[in-house]
Amino acid sequence: MESKGDLRAPVSQTPLIVEKPKDTSAIGGMVSIEINEKKVAVPLGTTILEACKMNGISIPTLCHHDDLCVAGVCRICVVEVEGMRTLQASCAYPITNPMKIKTSSPMVRRARRHIIDLLLSEHYGECYSCFRNGKCELQNLAKEYGVDSYTFGHVEKPKYEVDKSSYSVVRDMSKCVLCKRCVRTCIDLQEVGVLEAVDRGDNTHIGTFLEKPLADVICINCGQCINRCPTAALRANDPSDEIWAAIDDPTKHVIIQTAPSPRAAIGEEFGLGAGHSMTRELNTALKRIGFDKVFDTNFTADLTIIEEGTELILRLYKALVKKESVALPQFTSCSPGWVKFLEHYYPEYIDNLSSAKSPQQMFGALIKTFYAQRAGIDPANIVSVALMPCSAKKFECNRPEMHDSGYKDVDYGLTTREMARMIKEAGINLPEMPKSNFDNPFGEASGAGLIFGATGGVMEAAIRSVVEFVLGKKTEDIFEKANIIPLRGFEGIKYMEIPIGDKVGPVPELLKHLVPNWDWLKGAVLKIAVAHGTANAKKIMDDIKAGGKFSECHFIEFMACPGGCLGGGGQPIPTTPEIRKKRAEAIYAEDESLELRKSHDNPHVVQIYQEFLTEGPCGHLSHELLHTHYLKRGRYIA
Amino acid sequence: MEKTKRKGAVIFSKYSRGEGIKRLLSISREEVLFELRDSKLKGRGGAGFPTATKWNIVAAAISSQKYIICNADEGEPGTFKDRVLLLEYPELVFDGMVIAGYTIGAKHGIVYLRGEYEYILQSLEDYLAKMRNDNLLGKNILGKEGFDFDISIRLGSGAYVCGEETALIESLEGNRGEARNRPPYPVNTGYMGKPTVVNNVETLASVPHIIVKGGEWFKKYGTDRSTGSKLFSVSGDCGRPGVYELPWGTKISELLDLVGARNTKAVQVGGASGTCIPKSQFDRTLAYEDAATGGSIMIFNESRNMLHVLKNFMEFFVEESCGQCTPCRIGNTKLLEGVEMIEKGEFTFNYINQLKELGRTMQVASKCGLGQSSPNSFISILENFKEEIFNGNGGAHGK
């Protein structure tokens, strides 16, 4: 049997892919069509939906999503094409010959209204008791089409039990409209393939393998399905009630750490356009809500760079000098979705994962040890919350091995969306908040930690430090303004080589006990790669398995989510390539505005190695608190 | 009916095994296409797409692989003529596939056999083995250099929607049986993304006759727009149910006489997805241009309750919708609920009319033929039998 090549999603969910002509001025490059009696020309292969958009005609959509392949299943976008007996789904119809299109004929309007009425008839629940109230695409359609009653009735009882088994993702299939965006996200965008339509006819629903609860299947918790669900059928497992209770409990010392990506996106929840960083406004808001301390996750991002960078140097040293067998390339481990993906799909490679914990978990372990000691607080009374762009972080903080402080290192992972709701609930309008700084003893962190939020950011941060460690030169002398442009942008896989050359610098104080000098790196070429979205990660992993170019890399950054953390499963909805681009711009702009832009220059990092982790990076205490191990899950252990 | 008793001018006319394939030794692909076009043969599955056009597109396509698929997923309620063809006339079907393979340039043919027909699988495999043995299949067929073709049989798993050609292809590829977006059509992007002809069993069985006897001969039967003859699967209230070959253009009343039907109230033409024709219209003809059908003829006499008939059809569609698109998945459920409301007498005429409107939306907005045709019986039965249903014993009075 022939293979279908790269095609992952079922063909039933992909349209004819007509390659658009490079030169639209060539003969046949443009097709003349009529939309609502207006004559226009569009490039060959444009879908009717795109053609209408280009010409300012709006067409309602539901199953369509900019990130996903086409399904053509909801039928809300149907239009009339002259000469055709049936209506055509505009999202799935490529224009290859002249046609006359009507987007608002009586037949079209009747069909759209019917489709909305039908969807509402099976959609359980009322808008005012729904967390997507005001942000629901079905609700918007109902509003747009003036639905004022349930023409075909309305379900009174939920058809399915809500699946709350997962730490990360809650599924309420009674609210599902079967647009299959989650299926396409899981199968096609992320190549995980946990969700698929099950059964048929009236019983069709989105199910998991053998209808098992989500916690028992090989879901990686990336939450990309949540970001693309038009209704409230998918949501993150929300701990805000527990957090409120902790805040209201005077015996509890409630701490929150905030990651860079939520700060770059939370403004969207308050009506700002994408790309407004709210870092310092958020600090004030969080204090007003009642958090006792607000810390910057970037501090432990900086620490991650030191620990993970040191680990890389040690691996290379063992491989090149001591000729020991070590697992290379080293993989980053900051993204818990990626970690679980690897544990399931490539368990034989878990030794390649950096043993360094993610910044969230490093911070968790430090707060209940270092900070508790300094502040003189019983760690049992500390409630540690992490504001993350991520749904998988909820799972990560619940991993049983994450108890190195003697307590649950991080108590709750909170998404950007949930945080925004807590802020609103407290009656605070975030953009109006005055600015304030992070709390000590961790204070302000570097721009290197900040750019962890974008794909390529961890690698860029690492390179900024490694270059200075090894070459003894300023990063700015090699990369203009210390911006490592080849590692930026949304290309699925990025690859870069950095020649070390013949001149190396002295070994910095921090690492002196680990390596005597850098001579063994002379003439070497550091090979690094970056992938975001597990579909791209899979490509690299398969290449490594086959012994291809990436197997020769030394260090590879993997992020489970498209765009990196800024496109995480806990970020504001909607998500589009355009929105993610703006969030990235906000993050890089903030980085460039900072004085401190390299992890090893962070004075608090230097201090913690002097005062607490006195054996230095990858030392004994470091290993105890800041490093972890992984599980060979395979395809069967959830 | 016994095979020996079966009479018919076209499909059941005399044909000896391999005759059509032998003919290929002396004629070109273009000549096959010419005869086919001349015959005006249209698809027998129900949609009536000109077969020559379909073949021509695939024949003209440039591709390393092409396929001919025989749609033997005979799932329309009330049809059983394909089963008869496969059981008793496999030479027609398989010779038709070889001719198709030769014409379009496919080396591989696949029979997608209805899951419930598993019991005839062995006899078909045996027949294919015999063909291979006689070099009617395999490499250099009948000694003709480069004329390679073979057939494999794959079983469906019982989904009605897989009779829809793109859902059938999805199923063949190992995916969930769901219709694809069109365009692209299978003739461009079919099985494994390659140009593919999907033909009904009966369409393929007509082809060897046309190749041997000529398009001109074929056209002598039937009407101008519906040439040749048609196999009808006749069931229901009649004395002699079975498979009948009749020329297109036969009047419904003629058919009823032939099969010994008495006191007939209604004839469902085209199965559950077809239309219900009342007594007053029995002078209509069975033809693409009038009462079109893939072959299913169900006869209901005066004793039948048409609302029950309709309920049965709607239950079928609720279960058999693939559940992919909104109008079909939920629409059929709503139509069935409507029938149940009428049954209980708990309905308003306003709502029933709204449901009819919904049916019209389903006809144009559903993704595939299933949803597009499922409201047909709802609309036609409520329209044609409103006296009985709303005032008679079929349901209590509406409010």
Side-chain angles (χ1 to χ4, degrees):
Chain A
M1 208 197 288
E2 278 180 71
S3 114
K4 286 190 287 176
D6 268 353
L7 204 57
R8 304 184 295 260
V11 188
S12 65
Q13 290 165 35
T14 51
L16 170 61
I17 299 148
V18 180
E19 209 171 311
K20 289 189 188 159
K22 285 187 189 87
D23 177 14
T24 47
S25 63
I27 292 171
M30 298 292 277
V31 184
S32 302
I33 56 167
E34 257 182 45
I35 308 177
N36 299 340
E37 292 175 4
K38 184 182 155 205
K39 285 196 171 88
V40 295
V42 295
L44 181 91
T46 310
T47 63
I48 294 179
L49 181 66
E50 287 168 339
C52 289
K53 246 186 210 166
M54 281 156 56
N55 289 287
I57 293 160
S58 119
I59 290 187
T61 56
L62 188 62
C63 69
H64 176 82
H65 194 283
D66 284 347
D67 287 332
L68 303 174
C69 63
V70 170
V73 296
C74 75
R75 316 302 290 176
I76 193 79
C77 71
V78 287
V79 295
E80 210 176 315
V81 176
E82 198 181 272
M84 299 191 88
R85 183 182 63 84
T86 56
L87 301 176
Q88 301 301 317
S90 62
C91 67
Y93 200 103
I95 298 169
T96 52
N97 49 325
M99 53 172 62
K100 289 180 181 172
I101 298 158
K102 280 186 189 146
T103 67
S104 180
S105 69
M107 210 206 289
V108 168
R109 284 198 307 273
R110 182 188 70 190
R112 287 185 189 159
R113 181 63 200 264
H114 272 144
I115 287 162
I116 296 167
D117 283 337
L118 288 176
L119 288 171
L120 289 175
S121 78
E122 299 228 314
H123 180 74
Y124 172 70
E126 299 291 344
C127 291
Y128 46 77
S129 59
C130 178
F131 88 103
R132 286 288 293 265
N133 191 358
K135 292 202 149 217
C136 167
E137 292 180 39
L138 184 62
Q139 189 185 37
N140 287 348
L141 285 175
K143 197 162 78 180
E144 204 177 313
Y145 281 79
V147 173
D148 56 1
S149 62
Y150 295 122
T151 310
F152 300 116
H154 191 54
V155 272
E156 278 156 21
K157 281 187 192 149
K159 200 169 171 183
Y160 304 97
E161 209 175 310
V162 180
D163 177 3
K164 291 182 178 167
S165 63
S166 162
Y167 287 117
S168 300
V169 182
V170 177
R171 297 172 70 233
D172 183 358
M173 287 301 101
S174 304
K175 290 190 160 127
C176 174
V177 291
L178 284 164
C179 66
K180 290 196 181 172
R181 282 190 194 171
C182 58
V183 173
R184 283 173 284 151
T185 302
C186 204
I187 293 182
D188 191 59
L189 188 73
Q190 291 290 71
E191 292 203 47
V192 175
V194 162
L195 302 173
E196 177 52 302
V198 178
D199 233 322
R200 64 177 192 230
D202 195 27
N203 294 320
T204 313
H205 61 281
I206 306 301
T208 57
F209 177 65
L210 293 178
E211 308 277 357
K212 288 184 177 203
L214 203 57
D216 294 347
V217 294
I218 55 174
C219 169
I220 64 164
N221 303 312
C222 68
Q224 290 301 309
C225 52
I226 303 176
N227 286 4
R228 289 171 184 80
C229 179
T231 69
L234 291 162
R235 61 175 193 264
N237 205 335
D238 183 357
S240 50
D241 284 346
E242 286 95 322
I243 295 170
W244 280 123
I247 288 173
D248 296 339
D249 183 344
T251 65
K252 298 289 181 206
H253 185 73
V254 189
I255 289 170
I256 187 163
Q257 51 165 312
T258 68
S261 291
R263 305 181 324 217
I266 196 165
E268 294 163 33
E269 294 280 344
F270 291 87
L272 299 181
H276 286 83
S277 199
M278 291 272 114
T279 309
R280 278 152 221 288
E281 290 84 347
L282 190 61
N283 287 345
T284 314
L286 294 176
K287 282 297 185 51
R288 291 200 185 174
I289 283 182
F291 287 99
D292 295 298
K293 293 283 175 193
V294 182
F295 294 143
D296 187 352
T297 305
N298 296 350
F299 164 72
T300 35
D302 285 337
L303 206 56
T304 300
I305 289 303
I306 306 297
E307 292 290 332
E308 205 164 313
T310 306
E311 187 188 348
L312 176 65
I313 288 165
L314 283 175
R315 282 189 199 224
L316 292 175
Y317 188 64
K318 278 185 193 159
L320 297 175
V321 180
K322 296 190 179 169
K323 307 289 176 198
E324 287 173 29
S325 113
V326 282
L328 279 171
Q330 177 176 303
F331 302 155
T332 59
S333 60
C334 320
S335 164
W338 148 248
V339 168
K340 196 159 183 262
F341 181 81
L342 189 83
E343 288 177 326
H344 282 308
Y345 285 86
Y346 302 93
E348 66 275 29
Y349 284 94
I350 61 168
D351 290 338
N352 293 60
L353 275 174
S354 163
S355 65
K357 285 180 185 173
S358 69
Q360 163 179 293
Q361 291 307 128
M362 282 197 184
F363 224 140
L366 287 178
I367 284 170
K368 292 196 179 176
T369 54
F370 173 73
Y371 171 75
Q373 282 169 28
R374 292 294 147 107
I377 300 170
D378 180 0
N381 287 329
I382 294 180
V383 174
S384 178
V385 180
L387 169 59
M388 293 288 147
C390 184
S391 54
K393 289 279 173 197
K394 294 168 187 283
F395 170 83
E396 187 187 28
C397 77
N398 280 298
R399 286 178 75 118
E401 60 271 25
M402 296 297 181
H403 279 74
D404 292 327
S405 61
Y407 301 88
K408 194 177 171 193
D409 292 338
V410 172
D411 293 287
Y412 304 109
L414 194 66
T415 64
T416 315
R417 298 186 294 267
E418 291 151 1
M419 186 81 260
R421 213 160 38 249
M422 286 181 76
I423 294 172
K424 284 180 189 165
E425 202 175 340
I428 292 168
N429 185 16
L430 182 65
E432 289 173 1
M433 284 292 107
K435 298 182 180 193
S436 62
N437 290 335
F438 288 102
D439 286 313
N440 279 323
F442 304 110
E444 308 297 313
S446 79
L450 184 79
I451 57 171
F452 266 52
T455 166
V458 177
M459 191 55 78
E460 180 167 349
I463 296 306
R464 284 183 193 171
S465 287
V466 167
V467 160
E468 300 203 354
F469 284 168
V470 176
L471 300 182
K473 283 198 253 183
K474 286 270 159 211
T475 310
E476 288 84 342
D477 298 339
I478 301 165
F479 302 101
E480 200 186 339
K481 292 187 188 164
N483 293 338
I484 309 177
I485 303 299
L487 295 175
R488 297 188 181 181
F490 291 135
E491 210 181 314
I493 293 171
K494 287 164 276 191
Y495 176 81
M496 190 181 177
E497 295 185 355
I498 302 174
I500 306 283
D502 293 331
K503 282 186 186 161
V504 289
V507 177
E509 199 59 43
L510 204 58
L511 304 175
K512 264 193 176 146
H513 63 296
L514 298 172
V515 287
N517 56 51
W518 296 125
D519 292 347
W520 51 282
L521 278 177
K522 278 184 183 169
V525 177
L526 187 63
K527 294 175 180 172
I528 53 178
V530 172
H532 62 115
T534 41
N536 291 317
K538 201 172 190 174
K539 282 188 194 132
I540 289 196
M541 289 310 300
D542 290 340
D543 180 82
I544 291 176
K545 260 188 148 170
K549 140 175 151 181
F550 293 106
S551 66
E552 287 169 17
C553 276
H554 302 108
F555 194 27
I556 306 180
E557 177 202 303
F558 289 102
M559 291 291 159
C561 296
C565 302
L566 55 85
Q571 290 283 67
I573 299 168
T575 181
T576 63
E578 190 56 33
I579 289 173
R580 294 194 291 276
K581 193 168 154 248
K582 292 210 168 121
R583 290 177 189 160
E585 283 164 8
I587 286 176
Y588 285 119
E590 198 178 336
D591 164 46
E592 216 167 318
S593 75
L594 294 176
E595 283 282 304
L596 183 62
R597 295 186 60 210
K598 289 162 217 158
S599 299
H600 59 281
D601 289 346
N602 181 337
H604 303 284
V605 169
V606 176
Q607 196 186 356
I608 204 165
Y609 281 114
Q610 282 164 357
E611 296 177 8
F612 186 66
L613 305 166
T614 47
E615 293 157 287
C618 294
H620 181 71
L621 191 57
S622 256
H623 261 292
E624 202 169 286
L625 293 178
L626 307 184
H627 290 253
T628 185
H629 56 272
Y630 307 98
L631 192 62
K632 283 191 178 176
R633 291 175 201 269
R635 303 283 176 105
Y636 304 103
I637 312 171
Chain B
M1 200 193 292
E2 293 298 313
K3 179 178 177 178
T4 46
K5 289 189 194 159
R6 217 164 253 140
K7 284 180 199 144
V10 182
I11 291 192
F12 294 145
S13 68
K14 197 172 170 310
Y15 178 80
S16 59
R17 177 170 171 267
E19 206 180 339
I21 302 178
K22 284 184 196 111
R23 183 91 177 88
L24 296 179
L25 300 177
S26 55
I27 60 172
S28 67
R29 301 164 66 175
E30 288 73 20
E31 282 167 296
V32 177
L33 281 171
F34 175 82
E35 288 302 336
L36 208 56
R37 195 173 302 117
D38 192 39
S39 76
K40 296 200 214 165
L41 174 67
K42 288 181 181 177
R44 276 3 187 190
F49 191 81
T51 307
T53 309
K54 208 183 242 186
W55 286 24
N56 199 18
I57 296 171
V58 178
I62 298 162
S63 174
S64 58
Q65 276 284 9
K66 296 175 187 180
Y67 296 97
I68 162 78
I69 292 173
C70 169
N71 183 350
D73 191 49
E74 187 176 38
E76 188 63 50
T79 62
F80 40 85
K81 43 117 192 152
D82 292 347
R83 181 182 65 197
V84 168
L85 283 173
L86 289 165
L87 261 177
E88 299 175 18
Y89 305 84
E91 67 275 12
L92 288 175
V93 182
F94 292 138
D95 287 5
M97 285 180 79
V98 176
I99 295 165
Y102 173 80
T103 312
I104 64 172
K107 303 251 173 271
H108 195 165
I110 303 168
V111 178
Y112 186 86
L113 187 65
R114 183 180 181 192
E116 289 87 338
Y117 288 176
E118 196 180 352
Y119 70 98
I120 58 175
L121 179 63
Q122 196 51 54
S123 73
L124 296 179
E125 292 287 9
D126 292 347
Y127 186 82
L128 287 177
K130 248 170 48 190
M131 281 180 81
R132 284 184 200 108
N133 213 25
D134 299 343
N135 198 214
L136 292 170
L137 280 180
K139 292 228 176 284
N140 303 324
I141 290 172
L142 296 180
K144 186 159 179 166
E145 193 66 30
F147 182 10
D148 303 341
F149 187 76
D150 211 331
I151 296 173
S152 57
I153 305 176
R154 305 269 288 274
L155 276 174
S157 288
Y160 170 71
V161 71
C162 290
E164 197 279 342
E165 58 179 2
T166 60
L168 184 153
I169 291 171
E170 282 286 293
S171 168
L172 273 182
E173 290 182 2
N175 298 327
R176 194 179 147 81
E178 287 181 342
R180 294 176 175 179
N181 288 305
R182 306 199 287 180
Y185 297 92
V187 286
N188 303 120
T189 309
Y191 179 60
M192 291 296 159
K194 306 293 181 201
T196 302
V197 167
V198 182
N199 278 150
N200 178 264
V201 172
E202 188 185 342
T203 314
L204 288 166
S206 308
V207 169
H209 290 298
I210 294 170
I211 298 314
V212 173
K213 294 162 195 159
E216 202 57 48
W217 165 82
F218 188 81
K219 272 193 299 195
K220 286 196 303 196
Y221 304 94
T223 70
D224 187 34
R225 286 169 63 191
S226 309
T227 55
S229 70
K230 179 81 190 85
L231 299 189
F232 295 99
S233 312
V234 182
S235 63
D237 299 318
C238 65
R240 294 177 292 277
V243 174
Y244 290 81
E245 181 181 0
L246 298 171
W248 281 116
T250 302
K251 279 188 177 154
I252 292 171
S253 53
E254 289 168 3
L255 182 136
L256 290 175
D257 285 344
L258 190 69
V259 302
R262 281 191 192 86
N263 297 327
T264 306
K265 175 162 74 175
V267 177
Q268 177 79 12
V269 177
S273 65
T275 41
C276 194
I277 293 179
K279 202 173 192 167
S280 58
Q281 296 174 23
F282 282 175
D283 59 343
R284 282 177 68 179
T285 59
L286 296 162
Y288 290 111
E289 61 271 25
D290 190 356
T293 171
S296 169
I297 303 284
M298 290 185 239
I299 301 168
F300 302 104
N301 69 19
E302 295 292 348
S303 73
R304 305 290 166 182
N305 178 331
M306 292 315 289
L307 192 66
H308 290 173
V309 170
L310 174 58
K311 189 179 173 188
N312 184 294
F313 290 153
M314 291 325 298
E315 281 169 346
F316 175 78
F317 287 120
V318 167
E319 189 171 320
E320 291 296 343
S321 162
C322 80
Q324 180 181 202
C325 75
T326 314
C328 178
R329 179 182 70 245
I330 314 179
N332 280 311
T333 312
K334 294 297 151 193
L335 298 190
L336 175 62
E337 280 171 17
V339 174
E340 287 164 348
M341 286 175 183
I342 300 172
E343 217 177 13
K344 288 186 206 145
E346 295 166 357
F347 67 96
T348 62
F349 283 110
N350 181 32
Y351 187 64
I352 299 304
N353 285 330
Q354 272 184 354
L355 287 180
K356 273 200 234 163
E357 279 294 295
L358 172 65
R360 290 194 183 98
T361 285
M362 291 164 68
Q363 287 174 328
V364 293
S366 296
K367 188 168 176 177
C368 80
L370 198 167
Q372 287 164 10
S373 59
S374 62
N376 291 351
S377 42
F378 184 89
I379 293 172
S380 64
I381 290 180
L382 289 190
E383 198 58 54
N384 294 330
F385 299 92
K386 51 184 169 222
E387 274 297 306
E388 172 192 324
I389 288 172
F390 296 108
N391 298 322
N393 56 2
H397 295 276
K399 293 177 193 79

